[in-house]
Amino acid sequence: MNYSKMSVSDGARIELHDLLGLTGAEISLNILSAGTGVPFIHSHRQNEEIYAILDGKGQAVIDGETVTLKSGDWLRISPIAKRQFFAAADSDIKYLCIQVKENSLCGYTMTDAIV
């Protein structure tokens, strides 16, 4: 079979790597309750992260700088940047995180498609 499909229900964090058999990216669906945050600061060796804010609002602290986030925002963070995410005091935040190796994109929709 040349595809994989699954359905997810809400959970604090759902990693799709194993569930979909991903080979080039890690994707996770994350929900932080109002007033909470990711309990650690982290960076990566090779992987950049792309965040899509799906619902709610909050902040990311990136290398000590606070970035305000709201539904509809997209954010790319380089591997070496230290980051931590927080929900706003009065709002949950739901976001998608896509993790891929930095500088690995060799083609994209218009240059990689075979028509």
Side-chain angles (χ1 to χ4, degrees), residues 6-103:
M6 61 164 300
S7 294
V8 297
S9 59
D10 283 342
R13 180 173 169 84
I14 300 168
E15 294 182 356
L16 301 178
H17 178 263
D18 290 336
L19 297 172
L20 286 173
L22 301 177
T23 63
E26 170 63 280
I27 302 173
S28 63
L29 179 60
N30 303 270
I31 301 172
L32 295 172
S33 299
T36 67
V38 174
F40 54 87
I41 298 169
H42 77 285
S43 61
H44 289 277
R45 290 179 187 86
Q46 299 181 52
N47 295 339
E48 65 186 8
E49 291 181 321
I50 303 96
Y51 292 88
I53 310 305
L54 303 175
D55 194 32
K57 59 185 179 177
Q59 303 83 33
V61 177
I62 306 166
D63 289 337
E65 180 181 340
T66 300
V67 178
T68 302
L69 301 169
K70 66 180 183 339
S71 181
D73 287 348
W74 285 81
L75 175 68
R76 181 243 177 220
I77 303 177
S78 70
I80 62 170
K82 291 179 174 43
R83 75 223 50 192
Q84 189 174 19
F85 285 78
F86 301 90
D90 62 346
S91 173
D92 294 352
I93 188 169
K94 182 176 186 177
Y95 59 94
L96 189 68
C97 177
I98 304 165
Q99 191 178 129
V100 295
K101 185 175 179 181
E102 187 177 45
N103 298 314

